Amino acid sequence: MIKAAMIGIAGVFLALQLKNSKPEFAVYLSISAGVLLLLLAVERLEVVVESVKLIQSSISVQTAYIQVLLKIIGITYISEFASDICRDAGYSTIAGQIGVFSKLSILAVSMPIITALLDTIHGFLGG
């Protein structure tokens, strides 16, 4: 966490220094710091994936459900990263559209689970 905080703080300070004289370089620096932080997050995500696999092996959960969960996590991280970069660059409309697309993507990915849940509820109700 300290490494991530240091990268973030250094990126912000350097971008602030460049913002007045070379604003385009400040955006590039911000993107670079974000990519470095994303790479650090990927390392942590590997730990999460291994933990989810361990949970899956210890209890009876279908592989499809775990895959959907991991896809949702990936969609969330990627969309937050991309929309934050757009917002920092001053393109909040595009950032908002990325957010809308990510929500629709999560809904589309989770539809098999929602359908299975509705089938289960329908079965309990005697339909």
Side-chain angles (χ1 to χ4, degrees):
M1 186 60 222
I2 292 173
K3 188 189 297 186
M6 296 304 285
I7 290 171
I9 291 169
V12 167
F13 283 151
L14 290 171
L16 285 173
Q17 292 290 2
L18 290 173
K19 194 170 186 175
N20 292 331
S21 60
K22 299 277 186 179
E24 65 276 4
F25 290 133
V27 171
Y28 297 145
L29 185 64
S30 174
I31 292 170
S32 299
V35 168
L36 285 174
L37 290 169
L38 185 63
L39 292 174
L40 287 175
V42 168
E43 291 176 11
R44 303 293 176 173
L45 191 57
E46 290 173 358
V47 173
V48 171
V49 169
E50 291 302 318
S51 297
V52 168
K53 287 181 181 179
L54 182 64
I55 292 169
Q56 178 189 4
S57 67
S58 64
I59 60 174
S60 179
V61 177
Q62 289 186 11
T63 306
Y65 297 149
I66 300 298
Q67 289 174 343
V68 168
L69 177 65
L70 294 175
K71 285 179 185 180
I72 289 171
I73 291 169
I75 290 168
T76 303
Y77 280 121
I78 291 169
S79 67
E80 282 294 313
F81 178 73
S83 65
D84 286 347
I85 287 175
C86 291
R87 203 170 283 111
D88 285 347
Y91 295 97
S92 59
T93 302
I94 295 173
Q97 294 302 315
I98 291 171
V100 169
F101 185 78
S102 69
K103 289 173 184 127
L104 290 173
S105 296
I106 289 170
L107 183 61
V109 166
S110 64
M111 285 311 274
I113 293 175
I114 293 170
T115 304
L117 178 64
L118 291 175
D119 288 343
T120 302
I121 291 171
H122 188 327
F124 283 143
L125 295 176

